[in-house]
Amino acid sequence: MRNSTINVRKSETEHNFMPTLQLYLLDCQEPRPIVIVVPGGGYTKVCKDGDRTVVQYNAAGFHAAVLNYSVEPHCFPEPQRNLATAIRIIREHAAEWNVHKDRIVVCGFSAGGHLCASVATLWNNKNVFSAEEIDLEIHKPNACILYSAILTTRLTHCEAFLLGHVGPNNPENLLLATCDVQVNPKTPPTFLYSTYEDKLTNIENVLYYGESLSKNKIPFELHIFPTGGHCAPWCDETTWAKPPAGRDYKAIKLSIEWLIELFEL
């Protein structure tokens, strides 16, 4: 295992913050896919439990990384650019790090899920990235895993959350940040997870997003479980650990099985 931390920007933001990418690279002979874990935190902080997710993807034979991205007072699209740049950096160093450059996965929880879905739907949007960046597909994720993600403005509290993310009086950016509206034919295959008990990111988020994926003929897998609350896939340090309460749905294991099938591993 090789661990290192790299800066995502050349210099700090105007708020004196440097986003970073913590790498967890396997010692392997052949190029392997990589899963970029994007923790939640409501865009007010970045939760510090990404390594508990990383250990499970590493155990299944995937390289992994955790993104420490810009949060308040930063707003859209600065966090999105952090993740897009992280994807570009990994792609540029793919040969050096033994990463399969066409098997880069973004995996987000809650607000981190929104961030992943934003990049998955906007990597080819000329309002966010340059024509050259889009043509080279340097920011394109090859798969997207979303746990309890905020994906729509059709729910009042979700709209309020996204308004806080893009800032007031900015309808153009609110539309760009509304992920179910931005799904397009080049959005990558997606794994969606939610629970009926989750009142922060209600199941309508994944239902509306899944509907948009279907209309654009994007392959996806969707799971809605009856219990578990918000971001239930988080576990303790033990690989495949049972969640603190309720049934063990093995959501992360389901996502790994989906990736193995998607990438024909």
Side-chain angles (χ1 to χ4, degrees):
M1 178 74 69
R2 292 172 288 163
N3 298 96
S4 61
T5 302
I6 60 173
N7 292 338
V8 171
R9 288 174 54 102
K10 293 181 180 179
S11 60
E12 292 183 345
T13 70
E14 69 274 22
H15 300 292
N16 302 314
F17 176 74
M18 174 57 72
T20 59
L21 190 67
Q22 179 71 39
L23 296 168
Y24 299 80
L25 302 176
L26 302 174
D27 295 318
C28 55
Q29 300 300 316
E30 299 295 330
R32 300 292 302 170
I34 187 168
V35 178
I36 305 173
V37 176
V38 185
Y43 286 122
T44 64
K45 63 180 180 179
V46 177
C47 293
K48 302 301 181 183
D49 45 12
D51 56 338
R52 295 189 290 179
T53 304
V54 159
V55 68
Q56 301 186 62
Y57 287 108
N58 278 162
F62 294 84
H63 297 303
V66 178
L67 180 67
N68 183 31
Y69 54 93
S70 303
V71 297
E72 293 181 0
H74 305 90
C75 60
F76 180 94
E78 181 61 28
Q80 284 73 16
R81 293 191 182 280
N82 295 167
L83 179 54
T85 302
I87 293 170
R88 174 180 59 76
I89 291 171
I90 291 172
R91 195 158 269 136
E92 290 174 345
H93 291 270
E96 175 188 351
W97 295 341
N98 226 359
V99 172
H100 196 303
K101 66 181 181 65
D102 295 321
R103 292 176 178 174
I104 298 175
V105 184
V106 292
C107 169
F109 296 79
S110 191
H114 172 264
L115 178 48
C116 290
S118 294
V119 174
T121 56
L122 296 176
W123 71 266
N124 60 334
N125 191 304
K126 293 182 179 179
N127 292 306
V128 183
F129 300 107
S130 70
E132 181 181 10
E133 290 171 326
I134 294 169
D135 289 342
L136 294 174
E137 298 189 348
I138 59 173
H139 297 139
K140 177 184 178 180
N142 302 109
C144 185
I145 299 171
L146 305 176
Y147 296 107
S148 301
I150 297 167
L151 302 168
T152 188
T153 56
R154 294 192 234 182
L155 302 175
T156 301
H157 68 288
C158 292
E159 181 183 30
F161 174 83
L162 292 180
L163 279 168
H165 176 48
V166 304
N169 304 316
N170 203 329
E172 295 84 4
N173 279 355
L174 180 61
L175 183 62
L176 288 171
T178 305
C179 300
D180 61 325
V181 175
Q182 296 300 331
V183 172
N184 62 81
K186 292 190 176 181
T187 298
T190 302
F191 178 96
L192 295 156
Y193 169 92
S194 187
T195 72
Y196 177 75
E197 288 184 342
D198 189 345
K199 303 307 178 186
L200 293 176
T201 54
N202 309 58
I203 60 172
E204 285 86 350
N205 281 278
V206 295
L207 292 174
Y208 292 145
Y209 198 79
E211 180 183 32
S212 295
L213 292 169
S214 179
K215 287 179 178 177
N216 283 275
K217 303 186 186 311
I218 306 300
F220 71 96
E221 180 168 318
L222 188 157
H223 296 272
I224 300 174
F225 293 119
T227 60
H230 188 62
C231 286
W234 285 330
C235 303
D236 62 23
E237 291 81 358
T238 306
T239 304
W240 310 134
K242 185 174 181 178
R247 289 164 52 192
D248 184 1
Y249 294 120
K250 293 184 172 66
I252 292 178
K253 186 175 183 180
L254 287 171
S255 75
I256 288 170
E257 292 171 346
W258 174 76
L259 286 174
I260 290 171
E261 184 178 83
L262 177 68
F263 292 149
E264 299 181 344
L265 300 175

